[in-house]
Amino acid sequence: MLLAEDLLLLALDPERGTPVNSSREPLKVALGGALIAELGLLGLVAEDGRRLAPVGPPPGDPLLADAHALLATVRGRRAADQLGRMDRALGGVWGRVVDPLVAAGVLGRRRDRVVLVPVTHHPVLRPEIRDEVVRRLRAAATGDGPLDPRTATVLALSGPSRLLEVVAPARADRRHAKERIKEATEQAPVAAIVKKVIQEAQAAAAAVAAAASTTAATSG
């Protein structure tokens, strides 16, 4: 599975089929970051000044291939700008990550109306797949052992995705989990480019969250 798919499964309430903690907006940025981080783990991304640039041949996965190609064209002077625009450039990163999981029978698709507003839910149909992701990330968040590159990347992105309570459901574990998320971010287990992507995703997700808070306060 892609890192972005692991992150999305981690974020979903398995029965309601919606992201926990109102995490959908920052999660969009983090999902884009997960795609680029995976390209980084594959050695297919390089730094070009303050931007990120694709290198090498496109990967075989269609979504990763699109993300690889778009890094050459998406506007922005900094990597954070590129990440912030990746969602629209990919035609909606949420849908691009969800659709293959629905096609594979891992997630369902149910359209409901909540106060006359149509809402799409994606309940988990293969709970054993999500359970394995959650188990692995909780073990990483609450443990002290070395982190493999892929788990470290998803754990680092769980922070800006507002998933602390998912990776550390027990309140007593959350301080340690925050330290492990910080450790995973700083570790850059394979290459510096992955660390840069994670840090830029965190910055971009924080900007999205701040903008949402400002809009809500103004509306109020």
Side-chain angles (χ1 to χ4, degrees), residues 88-105:
R88 179 175 292 183
L90 285 170
V93 68
W94 173 268
R96 293 292 305 273
V97 177
V98 163
D99 288 348
L101 293 172
V102 172

PDB file of all heavy atoms in Angstrom, residues 88-105:
ATOM      1  N   ARG A  88      -5.179  20.448  -5.585  1.00  0.00           N
ATOM      2  CA  ARG A  88      -5.903  20.868  -6.789  1.00  0.00           C
ATOM      3  C   ARG A  88      -5.240  20.312  -8.043  1.00  0.00           C
ATOM      4  O   ARG A  88      -5.934  19.891  -8.988  1.00  0.00           O
ATOM      5  CB  ARG A  88      -5.966  22.389  -6.859  1.00  0.00           C
ATOM      6  CG  ARG A  88      -6.685  22.904  -8.098  1.00  0.00           C
ATOM      7  CD  ARG A  88      -6.839  24.407  -8.085  1.00  0.00           C
ATOM      8  NE  ARG A  88      -7.766  24.831  -7.039  1.00  0.00           N
ATOM      9  CZ  ARG A  88      -8.120  26.097  -6.843  1.00  0.00           C
ATOM     10  NH1 ARG A  88      -7.615  27.060  -7.601  1.00  0.00           N
ATOM     11  NH2 ARG A  88      -8.965  26.396  -5.879  1.00  0.00           N
ATOM     12  N   ALA A  89      -3.916  20.306  -8.067  1.00  0.00           N
ATOM     13  CA  ALA A  89      -3.191  19.835  -9.250  1.00  0.00           C
ATOM     14  C   ALA A  89      -3.506  18.368  -9.554  1.00  0.00           C
ATOM     15  O   ALA A  89      -3.547  17.954 -10.719  1.00  0.00           O
ATOM     16  CB  ALA A  89      -1.691  20.029  -9.063  1.00  0.00           C
ATOM     17  N   LEU A  90      -3.721  17.584  -8.515  1.00  0.00           N
ATOM     18  CA  LEU A  90      -4.023  16.163  -8.694  1.00  0.00           C
ATOM     19  C   LEU A  90      -5.512  15.904  -8.920  1.00  0.00           C
ATOM     20  O   LEU A  90      -5.922  14.758  -9.056  1.00  0.00           O
ATOM     21  CB  LEU A  90      -3.561  15.369  -7.468  1.00  0.00           C
ATOM     22  CG  LEU A  90      -2.054  15.144  -7.343  1.00  0.00           C
ATOM     23  CD1 LEU A  90      -1.716  14.568  -5.976  1.00  0.00           C
ATOM     24  CD2 LEU A  90      -1.551  14.212  -8.443  1.00  0.00           C
ATOM     25  N   GLY A  91      -6.310  16.971  -8.949  1.00  0.00           N
ATOM     26  CA  GLY A  91      -7.748  16.794  -9.126  1.00  0.00           C
ATOM     27  C   GLY A  91      -8.446  16.328  -7.869  1.00  0.00           C
ATOM     28  O   GLY A  91      -9.498  15.691  -7.928  1.00  0.00           O
ATOM     29  N   GLY A  92      -7.856  16.658  -6.715  1.00  0.00           N
ATOM     30  CA  GLY A  92      -8.428  16.262  -5.426  1.00  0.00           C
ATOM     31  C   GLY A  92      -7.715  15.052  -4.876  1.00  0.00           C
ATOM     32  O   GLY A  92      -8.036  13.906  -5.223  1.00  0.00           O
ATOM     33  N   VAL A  93      -6.706  15.302  -4.035  1.00  0.00           N
ATOM     34  CA  VAL A  93      -5.872  14.189  -3.551  1.00  0.00           C
ATOM     35  C   VAL A  93      -6.681  13.221  -2.694  1.00  0.00           C
ATOM     36  O   VAL A  93      -6.428  12.010  -2.699  1.00  0.00           O
ATOM     37  CB  VAL A  93      -4.643  14.734  -2.790  1.00  0.00           C
ATOM     38  CG1 VAL A  93      -5.042  15.398  -1.485  1.00  0.00           C
ATOM     39  CG2 VAL A  93      -3.623  13.634  -2.529  1.00  0.00           C
ATOM     40  N   TRP A  94      -7.680  13.717  -1.969  1.00  0.00           N
ATOM     41  CA  TRP A  94      -8.523  12.844  -1.154  1.00  0.00           C
ATOM     42  C   TRP A  94      -9.171  11.779  -2.036  1.00  0.00           C
ATOM     43  O   TRP A  94      -9.063  10.582  -1.774  1.00  0.00           O
ATOM     44  CB  TRP A  94      -9.579  13.676  -0.431  1.00  0.00           C
ATOM     45  CG  TRP A  94     -10.594  12.860   0.312  1.00  0.00           C
ATOM     46  CD1 TRP A  94     -11.798  12.414  -0.153  1.00  0.00           C
ATOM     47  CD2 TRP A  94     -10.476  12.345   1.645  1.00  0.00           C
ATOM     48  NE1 TRP A  94     -12.447  11.680   0.801  1.00  0.00           N
ATOM     49  CE2 TRP A  94     -11.667  11.622   1.913  1.00  0.00           C
ATOM     50  CE3 TRP A  94      -9.498  12.442   2.628  1.00  0.00           C
ATOM     51  CZ2 TRP A  94     -11.895  10.987   3.135  1.00  0.00           C
ATOM     52  CZ3 TRP A  94      -9.722  11.808   3.850  1.00  0.00           C
ATOM     53  CH2 TRP A  94     -10.907  11.103   4.085  1.00  0.00           C
ATOM     54  N   GLY A  95      -9.841  12.215  -3.095  1.00  0.00           N
ATOM     55  CA  GLY A  95     -10.499  11.273  -3.988  1.00  0.00           C
ATOM     56  C   GLY A  95      -9.526  10.347  -4.688  1.00  0.00           C
ATOM     57  O   GLY A  95      -9.820   9.159  -4.887  1.00  0.00           O
ATOM     58  N   ARG A  96      -8.358  10.868  -5.053  1.00  0.00           N
ATOM     59  CA  ARG A  96      -7.372  10.051  -5.753  1.00  0.00           C
ATOM     60  C   ARG A  96      -6.835   8.929  -4.866  1.00  0.00           C
ATOM     61  O   ARG A  96      -6.463   7.874  -5.362  1.00  0.00           O
ATOM     62  CB  ARG A  96      -6.204  10.931  -6.242  1.00  0.00           C
ATOM     63  CG  ARG A  96      -6.566  11.938  -7.324  1.00  0.00           C
ATOM     64  CD  ARG A  96      -6.933  11.282  -8.645  1.00  0.00           C
ATOM     65  NE  ARG A  96      -5.907  10.380  -9.144  1.00  0.00           N
ATOM     66  CZ  ARG A  96      -4.878  10.754  -9.907  1.00  0.00           C
ATOM     67  NH1 ARG A  96      -4.725  12.038 -10.233  1.00  0.00           N
ATOM     68  NH2 ARG A  96      -4.003   9.865 -10.344  1.00  0.00           N
ATOM     69  N   VAL A  97      -6.772   9.179  -3.549  1.00  0.00           N
ATOM     70  CA  VAL A  97      -6.312   8.136  -2.629  1.00  0.00           C
ATOM     71  C   VAL A  97      -7.463   7.198  -2.267  1.00  0.00           C
ATOM     72  O   VAL A  97      -7.279   5.979  -2.158  1.00  0.00           O
ATOM     73  CB  VAL A  97      -5.696   8.756  -1.354  1.00  0.00           C
ATOM     74  CG1 VAL A  97      -5.287   7.673  -0.358  1.00  0.00           C
ATOM     75  CG2 VAL A  97      -4.475   9.608  -1.721  1.00  0.00           C
ATOM     76  N   VAL A  98      -8.666   7.747  -2.095  1.00  0.00           N
ATOM     77  CA  VAL A  98      -9.817   6.939  -1.693  1.00  0.00           C
ATOM     78  C   VAL A  98     -10.253   5.973  -2.790  1.00  0.00           C
ATOM     79  O   VAL A  98     -10.550   4.796  -2.523  1.00  0.00           O
ATOM     80  CB  VAL A  98     -10.996   7.853  -1.298  1.00  0.00           C
ATOM     81  CG1 VAL A  98     -12.313   7.073  -1.270  1.00  0.00           C
ATOM     82  CG2 VAL A  98     -10.761   8.484   0.061  1.00  0.00           C
ATOM     83  N   ASP A  99     -10.322   6.443  -4.035  1.00  0.00           N
ATOM     84  CA  ASP A  99     -10.935   5.651  -5.110  1.00  0.00           C
ATOM     85  C   ASP A  99     -10.309   4.267  -5.290  1.00  0.00           C
ATOM     86  O   ASP A  99     -11.042   3.271  -5.423  1.00  0.00           O
ATOM     87  CB  ASP A  99     -10.913   6.428  -6.426  1.00  0.00           C
ATOM     88  CG  ASP A  99     -11.906   7.587  -6.435  1.00  0.00           C
ATOM     89  OD1 ASP A  99     -12.757   7.642  -5.528  1.00  0.00           O
ATOM     90  OD2 ASP A  99     -11.820   8.437  -7.341  1.00  0.00           O
ATOM     91  N   PRO A 100      -8.974   4.120  -5.300  1.00  0.00           N
ATOM     92  CA  PRO A 100      -8.417   2.762  -5.421  1.00  0.00           C
ATOM     93  C   PRO A 100      -8.757   1.873  -4.227  1.00  0.00           C
ATOM     94  O   PRO A 100      -8.922   0.653  -4.392  1.00  0.00           O
ATOM     95  CB  PRO A 100      -6.898   3.016  -5.499  1.00  0.00           C
ATOM     96  CG  PRO A 100      -6.763   4.412  -5.994  1.00  0.00           C
ATOM     97  CD  PRO A 100      -7.912   5.138  -5.379  1.00  0.00           C
ATOM     98  N   LEU A 101      -8.872   2.460  -3.041  1.00  0.00           N
ATOM     99  CA  LEU A 101      -9.249   1.672  -1.866  1.00  0.00           C
ATOM    100  C   LEU A 101     -10.697   1.202  -1.964  1.00  0.00           C
ATOM    101  O   LEU A 101     -11.034   0.094  -1.533  1.00  0.00           O
ATOM    102  CB  LEU A 101      -9.036   2.489  -0.593  1.00  0.00           C
ATOM    103  CG  LEU A 101      -7.573   2.807  -0.251  1.00  0.00           C
ATOM    104  CD1 LEU A 101      -7.502   3.793   0.914  1.00  0.00           C
ATOM    105  CD2 LEU A 101      -6.800   1.533   0.087  1.00  0.00           C
ATOM    106  N   VAL A 102     -11.553   2.029  -2.543  1.00  0.00           N
ATOM    107  CA  VAL A 102     -12.943   1.620  -2.782  1.00  0.00           C
ATOM    108  C   VAL A 102     -12.980   0.519  -3.838  1.00  0.00           C
ATOM    109  O   VAL A 102     -13.667  -0.494  -3.692  1.00  0.00           O
ATOM    110  CB  VAL A 102     -13.795   2.829  -3.223  1.00  0.00           C
ATOM    111  CG1 VAL A 102     -15.184   2.375  -3.670  1.00  0.00           C
ATOM    112  CG2 VAL A 102     -13.918   3.839  -2.083  1.00  0.00           C
ATOM    113  N   ALA A 103     -12.211   0.706  -4.921  1.00  0.00           N
ATOM    114  CA  ALA A 103     -12.182  -0.285  -5.992  1.00  0.00           C
ATOM    115  C   ALA A 103     -11.668  -1.637  -5.505  1.00  0.00           C
ATOM    116  O   ALA A 103     -12.107  -2.696  -5.982  1.00  0.00           O
ATOM    117  CB  ALA A 103     -11.316   0.217  -7.149  1.00  0.00           C
ATOM    118  N   ALA A 104     -10.763  -1.613  -4.532  1.00  0.00           N
ATOM    119  CA  ALA A 104     -10.188  -2.852  -3.989  1.00  0.00           C
ATOM    120  C   ALA A 104     -11.066  -3.474  -2.905  1.00  0.00           C
ATOM    121  O   ALA A 104     -10.735  -4.548  -2.393  1.00  0.00           O
ATOM    122  CB  ALA A 104      -8.793  -2.582  -3.426  1.00  0.00           C
ATOM    123  N   GLY A 105     -12.174  -2.808  -2.556  1.00  0.00           N
ATOM    124  CA  GLY A 105     -13.062  -3.337  -1.533  1.00  0.00           C
ATOM    125  C   GLY A 105     -12.598  -3.098  -0.113  1.00  0.00           C
ATOM    126  O   GLY A 105     -13.167  -3.664   0.825  1.00  0.00           O
TER     127      GLY A 105
END
